[in-house]
Amino acid sequence: MSKSSNATKKPFLHKSVFKSEGLKSSTEEDRELVKRTLQGDKQAFEMILNKHQQPLLNYIGRMVGNRELALDFTQEVFIKTYTSLSTYQSQFKFRTWLFKIASNYIIDFWRKKKIDAFSIDQTGKREDDRPPFEIPSDEPSICAQFELIELRGKIEKALDKLPPHLRELFVWRHINEFSYDEIAEIKEIPVGTVKNRVFQSKELVRQFLEEQK
Amino acid sequence: MNCLRIDQVYLFLEGELSSEENRSIEDHISSCEKCLKAVEERKLLVEASQSLPVWETPQDFTQRVLAHIFPKRITLRDWIVTASIGLSSAVLAFFVVYLISGHNLANVFINLNRTVLNLFQNIVVVLVKTAKLISIGIQVILKIVTLILKGFASLTTILSPELQIGLIALSAIITALLLFGAKRKLLAGEKA
C-alpha cells in the first residue's frame, strides 16, 4: 500500500481541537459575574479572577518573556479591568474585552520603554499581509525530525523571535485558543487579515525551527 | 482539485472548512504526496503549538489582586476588639506575675519608668550642652572672619590700586619664598 493511500485513514484535527464548544455558556457566565460584581458582589469578581488569570498570564508571559513581570502585569490588568468594569458593553465577550485591555497595557509598556512600539496596534493593512502562499515542491519536513517534547521547546524559542504583532496572534490562537472572530474583535481588524497573519506566524515559526536544526 | 495552498492546509487542520471542502481536500491528499507531506508537517506544528507548557499562577495570586482592589479598612469594631484584647492581656500579665513572684507588676513598671526617665534627662542635658558649645564656636569663627574681611575692605579704601597690586605681588613673593625655604629646610633635614 502506498504512503498516499494511508493518508486518508489518518485522523487530522477537527473543530473540537479548538474549544469553541461550551464557549457560549462561558460567555453568559462571564456576563452574569460582571453584573454581580457591579452590584457589589466581591465573590463574583473573585470568580472572574480565578477563571481568567491563567490564560491571561500565559498570553502576557509569552509577550514579555519574564515571569515576575508577567505576574505584575496580569495583576495590573485585573485592577484596570475592575476599575473600568462599568464601561464594559455586554454585547462583546468579556474575555475579548479583558484581552484587549491586556494588549493595550503591553503596547503602553513598550511605548514607555521606547521599544519599537510594537506594531501590534496597527489595525490597517500591513505589507506582510500578503495573500496565502503556495506549498513549495521541495519543502523539507522539519517538525517530523523532532520528538513532541523537543518540538514544543523549539517552538517556545521560535516564538521569542517572532515579531510581536504576529506572536500575539499566534499565542491567542494556539495557547489561548481564541477563534479567529474573537481575535478580530480584540484587534478590530478583518477576520481575513487575522487568518493571514496567524498562518504567516506559523510559517515563520517553521522557518525558525529549520534554523534551529 | 489543484494542489493546496498553505492557508487551506491550516483551515483544514483547524476544522474551519465545510464538510464538503474537507472531503475534497482528503480526496486530493490521498493522491498527492506533496500536499500530504505539507498537511502532516503542519499537523505536527499545530498539535505541538496547542500543547505548549502552561504558565501557572501562584496560589495566592487571587488574594493578592483582591487585596489591591479591596484594601481592608480598620473599622471601629476592629479598634474595640484590639483594645479589649490588649487590656485583657495586660490584666492577665499582672495577675500571672503576682501569682509567680508575689511582686506587684505595677511596682516593676514604676521603677522601670523612673530609670528610663533619668536616662532620658541625662542624655537631654548632654545634648543641649554640646549644641550650645557648637553654636558659640561658630559665632567666634564668624566674628574673626568678619573682622578680617572688614580689615581688607578698609585697606582697599585707603590704598591706591597700584599699591594694592604691589602689596599682593609682594605677599605672593613672600609666600613663595617661605614655601621655598620650608622645602629647602625639609630637604636639608632629610639629607642630614
Side-chain angles (χ1 to χ4, degrees), chain B residues 24-180:
Chain B
S24 107
I25 287 178
E26 276 167 10
D27 284 346
H28 176 75
I29 58 178
S30 66
S31 59
C32 175
E33 196 157 344
K34 184 188 94 174
C35 289
L36 170 71
K37 208 173 133 192
V39 169
E40 286 181 332
E41 167 75 1
R42 282 156 188 84
K43 184 187 173 209
L44 287 173
L45 180 73
V46 171
E47 278 178 344
S49 303
Q50 283 169 334
S51 57
L52 290 179
V54 174
W55 289 42
E56 298 284 350
T57 47
Q59 276 191 334
D60 63 342
F61 184 79
T62 305
Q63 292 313 315
R64 225 193 288 170
V65 180
L66 287 175
H68 268 84
I69 296 174
F70 311 111
K72 206 182 171 198
R73 287 192 187 132
I74 300 168
T75 57
L76 183 65
R77 192 177 158 274
D78 294 332
W79 281 113
I80 292 167
V81 168
T82 313
S84 312
I85 292 169
L87 198 66
S88 320
S89 311
V91 170
L92 190 70
F94 273 83
F95 187 64
V96 169
V97 170
Y98 182 72
L99 276 183
I100 295 169
S101 64
H103 292 293
N104 191 342
L105 194 64
N107 289 335
V108 176
F109 273 113
I110 288 163
N111 287 332
L112 187 70
N113 196 24
R114 274 183 194 151
T115 314
V116 171
L117 198 67
N118 284 337
L119 192 70
F120 181 72
Q121 277 173 339
N122 289 333
I123 288 170
V124 166
V125 169
V126 169
L127 282 177
V128 167
K129 282 185 177 171
T130 314
K132 205 168 184 179
L133 274 173
I134 290 169
S135 96
I136 290 167
I138 289 169
Q139 277 175 8
V140 168
I141 290 166
L142 278 176
K143 276 186 180 167
I144 290 168
V145 171
T146 319
L147 269 174
I148 292 168
L149 289 174
K150 273 184 181 170
F152 274 122
S154 48
L155 265 178
T156 51
T157 51
I158 295 163
L159 300 174
S160 67
E162 292 81 13
L163 205 59
Q164 282 178 41
I165 293 166
L167 271 175
I168 291 167
L170 191 66
S171 49
I173 291 164
I174 291 168
T175 315
L177 284 172
L178 281 172
L179 285 171
F180 185 69

Side-chain angles (χ1 to χ4, degrees), chain A residues 5 18 30 39 49 62 106 115 161 209 211-212:
Chain A
S5 58
F18 290 90
D30 282 343
Q39 286 165 353
L49 264 171
R62 256 88 182 194
I106 294 170
I115 300 168
K161 290 188 197 168
L209 290 179
E211 287 167 14
Q212 283 183 49

